[in-house]
Amino acid sequence: MSSDAPGFELPLRLLLAFRALIDELHAELSRQGHPHIRPMHGFVMQAIGPAGTTAVELGRALGVSKQAAGKTVESLERVGYVERATDPHDSRRKIVRLTPYGMDALQRSARIFDELRARWAAELGAERLRALEADLRKVTPANPWRLDTPAWFTSL
């Protein structure tokens, strides 16, 4: 009799690991002055990037409609993470940019993820964590930046 786990457990464990990290990240972000940020916001803010973007480009990057991207931008604008401005190269276009508060959230997120990784290394052992990361790189696409993941979950 095999002691291997059933095949369905692997994706569930990977999802639970992702969820645990994201939940811990958001709890710490809340303690550090970002109580309104939500998991989807991280994907959106990464898609906006330091240079800003338009709602159409944002929707394309996230795999959602321009309207859905616009609603998310409105909610981020209300809590101070983004602002809309006229494109300096084309006055007909509006761009969405991260505010200093939005940039602060991203910078804090990066530091917190480093701290969470260090905790995992302490729990599992640094070598085992590096091996896990190397193995995951072998079985996943080279580019880990899939900003359309939230839309993928809802596309049935």
Side-chain angles (χ1 to χ4, degrees):
M1 183 168 165
S2 173
S3 62
D4 288 343
F8 66 81
E9 189 174 331
L10 176 62
L12 291 175
R13 292 285 172 196
L14 290 169
L15 181 60
L16 285 170
F18 173 79
R19 176 80 187 263
L21 287 167
I22 297 302
D23 287 348
E24 289 182 58
L25 167 76
H26 284 271
E28 185 58 31
L29 280 171
S30 182
R31 284 189 285 277
Q32 292 187 22
H34 293 279
H36 302 293
I37 199 162
R38 299 292 173 260
M40 177 62 179
H41 296 160
F43 288 95
V44 175
M45 291 165 62
Q46 288 292 335
I48 292 169
T53 189
T54 65
V56 171
E57 293 162 346
L58 181 61
R60 194 174 300 125
L62 297 172
V64 299
S65 68
K66 176 185 170 186
Q67 293 78 10
K71 283 185 177 190
T72 303
V73 166
E74 287 172 14
S75 70
L76 286 171
E77 197 172 29
R78 274 193 303 276
V79 293
Y81 289 112
V82 301
E83 62 189 4
R84 297 179 213 219
T86 302
D87 186 333
H89 306 293
D90 183 349
S91 61
R92 297 168 295 172
R93 287 176 22 135
K94 293 283 185 192
I95 59 169
V96 179
R97 293 189 302 226
L98 296 173
T99 63
Y101 187 55
M103 288 299 296
D104 180 70
L106 287 182
Q107 290 163 353
R108 287 176 188 272
S109 293
R111 286 193 300 273
I112 294 166
F113 275 131
D114 287 342
E115 292 165 8
L116 292 171
R117 186 190 180 284
R119 285 202 345 232
W120 278 40
E123 177 77 20
L124 301 173
E127 273 306 309
R128 286 189 67 198
L129 181 58
R130 279 194 289 274
L132 173 61
E133 291 168 333
D135 288 344
L136 288 171
R137 283 186 202 99
K138 287 179 189 173
V139 297
T140 59
N143 180 4
W145 293 103
R146 288 298 306 258
L147 298 175
D148 65 341
T149 297
W152 175 80
F153 269 114
T154 60
S155 64
L156 294 177

